[in-house]
Amino acid sequence: MKEVSGNYVLNGIKTTISNASYASLYTVFARFDSDENGMSCFLVPRSAVGVSVGMPYKKMGQRAADTAEVSFNQVFI
């Protein structure tokens, strides 16, 4: 994550996210590119440009619990 003109740009992937296919809002903890020790938390709407959700994982057990991957590609927050 990096700061751009008072906003932030988020890039990355969150894997094994419970209910990712159904959520309309994601809680994302991210580190700034320039700060190795600090971390911030953001609420990112699924409708934001650059947010994509993968297909639910095909699991052997716990099939009723939806789990998928969420990708963030140049998401401005």
Side-chain angles (χ1 to χ4, degrees):
M1 178 178 61
K2 60 184 174 180
E3 189 170 1
V4 177
S5 301
N7 293 318
Y8 301 98
V9 177
L10 183 62
N11 288 298
I13 298 173
K14 290 184 74 169
T15 60
T16 320
I17 306 304
S18 298
N19 295 317
S21 299
Y22 300 104
S24 59
L25 192 65
Y26 300 106
T27 305
V28 180
F29 288 87
R31 283 195 165 95
F32 289 97
D33 290 340
S34 61
D35 187 5
E36 294 180 10
N37 298 320
M39 190 178 284
S40 295
C41 181
F42 297 92
L43 293 176
V44 182
R46 181 182 185 150
S47 60
V49 175
V51 175
S52 61
V53 180
M55 295 297 294
Y57 296 146
K58 293 182 179 179
K59 302 178 284 187
M60 290 180 69
Q62 297 288 329
R63 284 184 239 161
D66 173 65
T67 305
E69 181 177 276
V70 181
S71 298
F72 303 95
N73 185 19
Q74 295 293 317
V75 178
F76 286 91
I77 46 177

